[in-house]
Amino acid sequence: MYWPMGGAQIYSANRRRRKASKSQDNLEEDDEEEDNAAPILGLRTSRSGHLLATITATTMTVWQTSPLVVLAAASRSAASLRSYGPNVAVHLRPDASIAVIQTLNGFLVTYSIIVDPTARVYQQIREGVNQRKATGTDSVILEKEKAGFREVRIKPRLVIRIDAGIAAALALDNEIVVATQKPAAVQCIKWTPDDAGKQTSTELTNRMAWMQNASRITDMIHDRAMSLTVWITSDGKAYAVQRLPESLDKSDGNQKLFRGYGFHSPEGQGTEAMKAAINARFSLLAVGCPQGEIHVYVARDYAGSIPPSHKLPSPATFSTTGQITSMSYSPDGYCLMVGYEHGWAMWSVYGKPGASSFSADETLSAINGEGWLASVKSLSWINAGFGVLLTCVDDSRLWEVEMTKSAVTTCFSTANISRTVLLSSSRLILYRGFDLPTTTTISADAPLWQHVAIPTRYLMNQKPMRCVVTSLDGRYVAVAGRRGLAHYSIGSGRWKTFDDTESENAFIVRGGMCWYQHILIAAIESDDTYELRLYSRELGLNATSVLHVEHLPSAVVTLSIAGQDSLLVYTFENVLYHYVLNASSNNVKLFQVGQLALHGIVRAPARVRAVTWILPEFQMRNGDPSQDVAHASVLFLVDAKLVLLQSSTNEAGLKYDMRVVAHNVEYFDLMRDRGTLLRSPDHSQPQTPSEEDTPVNGLHSDRGLYDSLWYFDGESVRCWMDVEDILMPFTTENERDVPQPVTIAVDFYPTSVMLNRGVILGLDAEIIQRRDAHFAYMRHGIRTQLFLHDILRRHLSQFDPAAASILALRYQDLPYFSHALELLLHTVLDEEVDAGRDSDTSLMPHVVSFLSSFPDYLDIVVQCTRKTEVRSWRTLFAYLPSPQQLFEESLEKDLLKTAGGYLLILHTFQELETSSEQCVRLLQRAKEAGDWDLCKELARFLMALDASGETLREALSRMNLEPSRETNVQSTDGSVLLSTSQAPKGQQLQHPNGNIDRPRDSTEGEGPRTSSEGFLSPNGTVVSEDYFSSRS
């Protein structure tokens, strides 16, 4: 997932002047554009992302993206504008060698973009200045400044007239595709004529049998990786289209240029297709509708199988967002960004909402002139996804928003999932809460992020960074750019890079990296050879510091550490290799002990994102590693499908049964792969699971969640508590079914499951706007979600209280364990009340029985009632002892404030007698314990029962604390004055800081209710939150 970071950078090709508007303190200055600055009308980026082109009504400008600077511009003459019309849109050939400007009068004006490799611009030459001798990082920066950037020239090419009018255009590698208006047709114009001198070919839409209606095409987008084009038509339909080979152009005597399939048809008003985006990495097609809703489809094949995948609701009301103006997936496909008439929004690949501009203050945005928060005309990803360019309506500026992304998007590994690591264009952002006490980890205000700048020399030579991986213990991090690699130690705070540039440029990391203790394992490609290389953190990086080299016949798709010392390597030849790491005091080596050919099982090796396996317990403990392949069940993540290959034997030998166990998987986490991380001692956490745990009885093993399998599907985090659940054969109508996982709802994007602490860690983006600052900026905040109550609920629903008790014992030392049990009771109670279940199918008896085994049982019940509507109390106490019995039990255990909570329940159930015997008893006990805060609240409670004050006088009299005759118990406004300065027998009821205060005025409520802001008094009024809120 992606998160914006910092403020937006502003760029403009127009000259700007500064106009100073002095404030009272003469410190403020405002920027103003020149009056003749023309707004940007279009934006196109090349396939490589190195160049982009923008247009105004009269001018085309060519930019370099890193850094963002203007390289060339071409302005059309007045005669050209009169003849062809002003600019309307710009199209760029994917290699950025040709730019095409679409004009208002139906012309295509083409230009050649020529890059001169020898000429340079923006060279910074310092003459006549005494310069000190620069070394290290300074020398690298000075060299880059002196080198400048390659010069670009724009040369007019030709002008093409489209008599039928231009509805849409699309620039491809070999041709430009133009959709005409009258007649509705598609023309293909080659950049250069073929051998026969032919340059154009046309097909009418009414001749396309696969189009349901001969509608006009309004928009077209193309993806080279999928070799697929999406057409949007005037009737609101969307088609997936492929260009036919030239040999098939004239089948059946008619010219056939395209073949397509309709996949989106409007189901009603507001569901017409307007914009589209293609995600080649996950084979998704997204269609934007007028009301802001986005329909996402999955392209299974090229034969028209494009079923719906999911829907993305509008981030706000239509009046707030406006219509969709542009939409685009990130280069790696993990994020979708959508521009609206009044802002923008982001989603993860399968629909988890991310950052959005619609939470910004419109007034402040308008005052500060921040158009990037107010409207989006077009957007484009640049710098390998580390930045997004936005253009706004009637604005001549480009806005660049910096992005940070999860390390999982660069390298899918267990370590990256278990430890949250973010990557920006120039630094790493590491979450350090795993090494801090539990209460600090869940605090949203604690500074838990460590920012690590990537070495300048490596960054300048090899940006952008393509791969990041951390170690399971969080001690080391490695990065890899276009070539070479570098690694960092958290403890020492030092980077290690290659000593010489030649060794660094000699290889490319392709296939990922992983850490084994202090050893970095990297899959590399060098001179058409493929290797696994092992580097030690203790040694420097150079050509001779490689500990071990393992040659491979083909490139690596992905690699991972499985278990204690096993390395799994999956290659493009569709073979899974199993290696064992043999570590000694002086060296570490790899030994191949097995391999598994998956021909005919995995059809496209390049679509595999991750691989691991599950070994039986007996094989892990005592088995021969060379036989692991025969016993293992392999888990593949293919695109977004979690595929299980389960091994079995028959007369023919070893075979594998394949099942898809989950869909729409953004990432998964098999807890047993964490190994040492789960078994590391930490006294601030509950005892962690261990594979050496012994069975408690014949049915249950005290292993906690060590064998659990977690995944995120874009909506919720889901968990199988024991991975064996998906390995067991379930037969239903001769098909195997997978048991339903536990669903844990989250309202943020989850990044890690903190198993030892019972929480899910995630991030949420927010916009910060200050009235004393002239700009807004983005930041990401830490979010956590408890999952323990969901797991316990599943055990209890399966009538397995023993497993629930075993799991609870592991987490009972957490400071928020009681809160987790309270959530369990609250969740089940709400479901029971809403569903109206009878006692035979109710889960409440099992939950109450389970909670009664914990010492905080009485407090949990009271806290639950405080946060639940009164109408739910009858359902709750139908399975509990009477409130009177719970009150007496609280007194026996000296839980005085807990007993005070049950007084309200007794009153609500009309079980509290007029004499308030229970209240008097509790007041006497509170006086003896010196709990004057509780005495004050009980006095208020008695005054609420009897506004005349007689009940309170009687209670104080029985306690030998009769108030003074000179003091009115009830004031004129109904509040209580409890001054006992002249009480009989010389006793005085005082608060440690003085006499008991006058009670706060209560506000009349609409009826009996409770809330988190207040607590219900006996007469239906809401008083302060601290009313019986804390335990004694």
PDB file of all heavy atoms in Angstrom, residues 864-879:
ATOM      1  N   CYS A 864     -19.097  -3.489  30.641  1.00  0.00           N
ATOM      2  CA  CYS A 864     -19.904  -3.769  29.452  1.00  0.00           C
ATOM      3  C   CYS A 864     -21.253  -3.074  29.551  1.00  0.00           C
ATOM      4  O   CYS A 864     -21.749  -2.516  28.563  1.00  0.00           O
ATOM      5  CB  CYS A 864     -20.070  -5.274  29.278  1.00  0.00           C
ATOM      6  SG  CYS A 864     -20.987  -5.744  27.784  1.00  0.00           S
ATOM      7  N   THR A 865     -21.882  -3.105  30.730  1.00  0.00           N
ATOM      8  CA  THR A 865     -23.186  -2.452  30.882  1.00  0.00           C
ATOM      9  C   THR A 865     -23.064  -0.941  30.721  1.00  0.00           C
ATOM     10  O   THR A 865     -23.969  -0.300  30.186  1.00  0.00           O
ATOM     11  CB  THR A 865     -23.791  -2.776  32.252  1.00  0.00           C
ATOM     12  OG1 THR A 865     -22.869  -2.397  33.293  1.00  0.00           O
ATOM     13  CG2 THR A 865     -24.074  -4.271  32.372  1.00  0.00           C
ATOM     14  N   ARG A 866     -21.963  -0.361  31.167  1.00  0.00           N
ATOM     15  CA  ARG A 866     -21.768   1.077  31.038  1.00  0.00           C
ATOM     16  C   ARG A 866     -21.717   1.521  29.586  1.00  0.00           C
ATOM     17  O   ARG A 866     -22.039   2.665  29.258  1.00  0.00           O
ATOM     18  CB  ARG A 866     -20.476   1.517  31.728  1.00  0.00           C
ATOM     19  CG  ARG A 866     -20.495   1.412  33.243  1.00  0.00           C
ATOM     20  CD  ARG A 866     -19.210   1.946  33.827  1.00  0.00           C
ATOM     21  NE  ARG A 866     -19.052   3.369  33.558  1.00  0.00           N
ATOM     22  CZ  ARG A 866     -18.134   3.884  32.748  1.00  0.00           C
ATOM     23  NH1 ARG A 866     -17.292   3.094  32.105  1.00  0.00           N
ATOM     24  NH2 ARG A 866     -18.049   5.185  32.576  1.00  0.00           N
ATOM     25  N   LYS A 867     -21.283   0.628  28.692  1.00  0.00           N
ATOM     26  CA  LYS A 867     -21.106   1.001  27.285  1.00  0.00           C
ATOM     27  C   LYS A 867     -22.166   0.370  26.383  1.00  0.00           C
ATOM     28  O   LYS A 867     -22.003   0.312  25.173  1.00  0.00           O
ATOM     29  CB  LYS A 867     -19.710   0.565  26.828  1.00  0.00           C
ATOM     30  CG  LYS A 867     -18.597   1.191  27.666  1.00  0.00           C
ATOM     31  CD  LYS A 867     -17.251   0.590  27.353  1.00  0.00           C
ATOM     32  CE  LYS A 867     -16.176   1.153  28.280  1.00  0.00           C
ATOM     33  NZ  LYS A 867     -14.852   0.544  28.059  1.00  0.00           N
ATOM     34  N   THR A 868     -23.244  -0.118  27.010  1.00  0.00           N
ATOM     35  CA  THR A 868     -24.306  -0.787  26.260  1.00  0.00           C
ATOM     36  C   THR A 868     -25.639  -0.132  26.580  1.00  0.00           C
ATOM     37  O   THR A 868     -25.858   0.352  27.692  1.00  0.00           O
ATOM     38  CB  THR A 868     -24.368  -2.285  26.627  1.00  0.00           C
ATOM     39  OG1 THR A 868     -23.070  -2.854  26.490  1.00  0.00           O
ATOM     40  CG2 THR A 868     -25.328  -3.028  25.709  1.00  0.00           C
ATOM     41  N   GLU A 869     -26.521  -0.113  25.612  1.00  0.00           N
ATOM     42  CA  GLU A 869     -27.851   0.442  25.835  1.00  0.00           C
ATOM     43  C   GLU A 869     -28.608  -0.378  26.881  1.00  0.00           C
ATOM     44  O   GLU A 869     -28.408  -1.582  27.015  1.00  0.00           O
ATOM     45  CB  GLU A 869     -28.635   0.455  24.524  1.00  0.00           C
ATOM     46  CG  GLU A 869     -28.036   1.382  23.468  1.00  0.00           C
ATOM     47  CD  GLU A 869     -28.870   1.395  22.211  1.00  0.00           C
ATOM     48  OE1 GLU A 869     -29.861   0.644  22.148  1.00  0.00           O
ATOM     49  OE2 GLU A 869     -28.514   2.147  21.294  1.00  0.00           O
ATOM     50  N   VAL A 870     -29.492   0.309  27.585  1.00  0.00           N
ATOM     51  CA  VAL A 870     -30.233  -0.330  28.672  1.00  0.00           C
ATOM     52  C   VAL A 870     -31.091  -1.483  28.158  1.00  0.00           C
ATOM     53  O   VAL A 870     -31.294  -2.481  28.855  1.00  0.00           O
ATOM     54  CB  VAL A 870     -31.091   0.720  29.407  1.00  0.00           C
ATOM     55  CG1 VAL A 870     -31.953   0.067  30.476  1.00  0.00           C
ATOM     56  CG2 VAL A 870     -30.195   1.786  30.023  1.00  0.00           C
ATOM     57  N   ARG A 871     -31.565  -1.372  26.918  1.00  0.00           N
ATOM     58  CA  ARG A 871     -32.419  -2.436  26.373  1.00  0.00           C
ATOM     59  C   ARG A 871     -31.679  -3.764  26.252  1.00  0.00           C
ATOM     60  O   ARG A 871     -32.306  -4.818  26.153  1.00  0.00           O
ATOM     61  CB  ARG A 871     -32.961  -2.031  25.007  1.00  0.00           C
ATOM     62  CG  ARG A 871     -31.899  -1.921  23.905  1.00  0.00           C
ATOM     63  CD  ARG A 871     -32.501  -1.421  22.601  1.00  0.00           C
ATOM     64  NE  ARG A 871     -31.533  -1.385  21.520  1.00  0.00           N
ATOM     65  CZ  ARG A 871     -31.333  -2.390  20.686  1.00  0.00           C
ATOM     66  NH1 ARG A 871     -32.055  -3.494  20.806  1.00  0.00           N
ATOM     67  NH2 ARG A 871     -30.431  -2.282  19.721  1.00  0.00           N
ATOM     68  N   SER A 872     -30.335  -3.721  26.240  1.00  0.00           N
ATOM     69  CA  SER A 872     -29.549  -4.950  26.130  1.00  0.00           C
ATOM     70  C   SER A 872     -29.288  -5.596  27.475  1.00  0.00           C
ATOM     71  O   SER A 872     -28.811  -6.733  27.532  1.00  0.00           O
ATOM     72  CB  SER A 872     -28.207  -4.663  25.441  1.00  0.00           C
ATOM     73  OG  SER A 872     -28.398  -4.074  24.176  1.00  0.00           O
ATOM     74  N   TRP A 873     -29.598  -4.886  28.582  1.00  0.00           N
ATOM     75  CA  TRP A 873     -29.245  -5.420  29.898  1.00  0.00           C
ATOM     76  C   TRP A 873     -30.051  -6.672  30.237  1.00  0.00           C
ATOM     77  O   TRP A 873     -29.536  -7.591  30.863  1.00  0.00           O
ATOM     78  CB  TRP A 873     -29.466  -4.356  30.963  1.00  0.00           C
ATOM     79  CG  TRP A 873     -28.492  -3.206  30.882  1.00  0.00           C
ATOM     80  CD1 TRP A 873     -27.590  -2.966  29.897  1.00  0.00           C
ATOM     81  CD2 TRP A 873     -28.331  -2.150  31.824  1.00  0.00           C
ATOM     82  NE1 TRP A 873     -26.879  -1.833  30.149  1.00  0.00           N
ATOM     83  CE2 TRP A 873     -27.312  -1.301  31.340  1.00  0.00           C
ATOM     84  CE3 TRP A 873     -28.950  -1.825  33.030  1.00  0.00           C
ATOM     85  CZ2 TRP A 873     -26.900  -0.158  32.019  1.00  0.00           C
ATOM     86  CZ3 TRP A 873     -28.539  -0.694  33.709  1.00  0.00           C
ATOM     87  CH2 TRP A 873     -27.523   0.133  33.216  1.00  0.00           C
ATOM     88  N   ARG A 874     -31.317  -6.691  29.825  1.00  0.00           N
ATOM     89  CA  ARG A 874     -32.144  -7.861  30.131  1.00  0.00           C
ATOM     90  C   ARG A 874     -31.570  -9.104  29.478  1.00  0.00           C
ATOM     91  O   ARG A 874     -31.547 -10.184  30.085  1.00  0.00           O
ATOM     92  CB  ARG A 874     -33.577  -7.626  29.650  1.00  0.00           C
ATOM     93  CG  ARG A 874     -34.323  -6.525  30.390  1.00  0.00           C
ATOM     94  CD  ARG A 874     -34.702  -6.969  31.798  1.00  0.00           C
ATOM     95  NE  ARG A 874     -35.463  -5.925  32.497  1.00  0.00           N
ATOM     96  CZ  ARG A 874     -35.824  -6.030  33.760  1.00  0.00           C
ATOM     97  NH1 ARG A 874     -35.512  -7.104  34.467  1.00  0.00           N
ATOM     98  NH2 ARG A 874     -36.509  -5.037  34.338  1.00  0.00           N
ATOM     99  N   THR A 875     -31.104  -8.940  28.228  1.00  0.00           N
ATOM    100  CA  THR A 875     -30.502 -10.088  27.540  1.00  0.00           C
ATOM    101  C   THR A 875     -29.236 -10.541  28.246  1.00  0.00           C
ATOM    102  O   THR A 875     -28.984 -11.739  28.401  1.00  0.00           O
ATOM    103  CB  THR A 875     -30.184  -9.713  26.083  1.00  0.00           C
ATOM    104  OG1 THR A 875     -31.378  -9.263  25.431  1.00  0.00           O
ATOM    105  CG2 THR A 875     -29.605 -10.894  25.326  1.00  0.00           C
ATOM    106  N   LEU A 876     -28.439  -9.598  28.699  1.00  0.00           N
ATOM    107  CA  LEU A 876     -27.184  -9.943  29.364  1.00  0.00           C
ATOM    108  C   LEU A 876     -27.436 -10.669  30.671  1.00  0.00           C
ATOM    109  O   LEU A 876     -26.863 -11.736  30.937  1.00  0.00           O
ATOM    110  CB  LEU A 876     -26.364  -8.666  29.597  1.00  0.00           C
ATOM    111  CG  LEU A 876     -25.070  -8.832  30.400  1.00  0.00           C
ATOM    112  CD1 LEU A 876     -24.110  -9.770  29.701  1.00  0.00           C
ATOM    113  CD2 LEU A 876     -24.426  -7.469  30.639  1.00  0.00           C
ATOM    114  N   PHE A 877     -28.325 -10.122  31.517  1.00  0.00           N
ATOM    115  CA  PHE A 877     -28.518 -10.695  32.849  1.00  0.00           C
ATOM    116  C   PHE A 877     -29.431 -11.914  32.830  1.00  0.00           C
ATOM    117  O   PHE A 877     -29.639 -12.529  33.880  1.00  0.00           O
ATOM    118  CB  PHE A 877     -29.051  -9.629  33.794  1.00  0.00           C
ATOM    119  CG  PHE A 877     -27.986  -8.695  34.289  1.00  0.00           C
ATOM    120  CD1 PHE A 877     -27.723  -7.510  33.627  1.00  0.00           C
ATOM    121  CD2 PHE A 877     -27.208  -9.027  35.388  1.00  0.00           C
ATOM    122  CE1 PHE A 877     -26.738  -6.658  34.059  1.00  0.00           C
ATOM    123  CE2 PHE A 877     -26.217  -8.185  35.830  1.00  0.00           C
ATOM    124  CZ  PHE A 877     -25.976  -6.992  35.167  1.00  0.00           C
ATOM    125  N   ALA A 878     -29.952 -12.251  31.652  1.00  0.00           N
ATOM    126  CA  ALA A 878     -30.687 -13.514  31.561  1.00  0.00           C
ATOM    127  C   ALA A 878     -29.749 -14.703  31.708  1.00  0.00           C
ATOM    128  O   ALA A 878     -30.184 -15.817  32.044  1.00  0.00           O
ATOM    129  CB  ALA A 878     -31.430 -13.586  30.228  1.00  0.00           C
ATOM    130  N   TYR A 879     -28.452 -14.470  31.476  1.00  0.00           N
ATOM    131  CA  TYR A 879     -27.471 -15.560  31.571  1.00  0.00           C
ATOM    132  C   TYR A 879     -26.491 -15.339  32.731  1.00  0.00           C
ATOM    133  O   TYR A 879     -25.504 -16.059  32.843  1.00  0.00           O
ATOM    134  CB  TYR A 879     -26.680 -15.661  30.255  1.00  0.00           C
ATOM    135  CG  TYR A 879     -27.553 -15.837  29.050  1.00  0.00           C
ATOM    136  CD1 TYR A 879     -27.876 -14.754  28.238  1.00  0.00           C
ATOM    137  CD2 TYR A 879     -28.070 -17.084  28.717  1.00  0.00           C
ATOM    138  CE1 TYR A 879     -28.678 -14.910  27.123  1.00  0.00           C
ATOM    139  CE2 TYR A 879     -28.879 -17.249  27.610  1.00  0.00           C
ATOM    140  CZ  TYR A 879     -29.181 -16.156  26.817  1.00  0.00           C
ATOM    141  OH  TYR A 879     -29.985 -16.313  25.710  1.00  0.00           O
TER     142      TYR A 879
END
